[in-house]
Amino acid sequence: MDTPEEFRDIPGYEGYYQVSNHGRVKALARYVPERAHGRWQSQDGHGFTKFWRERIMHTSPRANKYLRVQLSRDAKKGDHSVHHLVLITFVGPRPERQQACHNDGDRQNNRLANLRWDTPRNNHADKKQHG
């Protein structure tokens, strides 16, 4: 039986984005100053605001087939691997000299039950095992 989906705040993006144990990323509902996006500015110098509804983010595969998502905060954008976001959020920071590993070899299966931090040697052994 599958575990119920649970969303948690992504460290560093609290109040902006959450990731679930099923590997889905969502943007939280919030007001965003339009001035930060190069749009209109009111006569008194304050930026107008736009309301963004809560929504599941679109992910896209990189050339290496790992899913990525673009997150932004304070007008700074960055690409993040979904499997890293799941592990950082639910397990904790990446231990030194460890990598994110997919237990089944499927780079697009980013469920928490399929992910772990492990050594590069064990990750390479997984790659051989899964072809």
Side-chain angles (χ1 to χ4, degrees):
M1 189 165 114
D2 204 13
T3 59
E5 189 168 26
E6 175 190 351
F7 281 91
R8 291 187 187 173
D9 285 334
I10 297 171
Y13 291 95
E14 294 87 352
Y16 290 82
Y17 300 97
Q18 292 183 335
V19 67
S20 81
N21 56 339
H22 289 190
R24 297 194 313 156
V25 180
K26 74 176 173 181
L28 300 177
R30 64 185 181 274
Y31 285 96
V32 179
E34 289 192 325
R35 184 173 55 166
H37 299 286
R39 297 192 183 153
W40 313 292
Q41 188 172 344
S42 63
Q43 292 179 350
D44 63 0
H46 296 355
F48 292 105
T49 57
K50 179 179 181 178
F51 182 73
W52 282 3
R53 293 184 314 207
E54 184 176 292
R55 67 198 183 286
I56 298 296
M57 303 286 293
H58 173 75
T59 59
S60 58
R62 291 185 169 148
N64 60 10
K65 306 290 190 239
Y66 290 107
L67 292 179
R68 66 170 180 80
V69 66
Q70 188 174 74
L71 306 181
S72 64
R73 182 173 181 176
D74 302 327
K76 295 178 186 173
K77 295 180 182 180
D79 277 351
H80 299 274
S81 298
V82 175
H83 59 285
H84 281 167
L85 294 176
V86 172
L87 282 169
I88 289 167
T89 302
F90 286 90
V91 177
R94 180 177 64 88
E96 194 172 328
R97 295 189 203 101
Q98 300 235 330
Q99 298 177 344
C101 302
H102 291 80
N103 296 328
D104 67 358
D106 181 359
R107 296 177 181 182
Q108 296 188 4
N109 180 358
N110 293 311
R111 291 177 174 266
L112 178 60
N114 186 50
L115 301 172
R116 71 184 192 282
W117 294 122
D118 209 340
T119 63
R121 170 181 246 159
N122 288 340
N123 195 17
H124 187 69
D126 281 354
K127 290 177 188 178
K128 282 181 151 181
Q129 179 183 356
H130 300 296

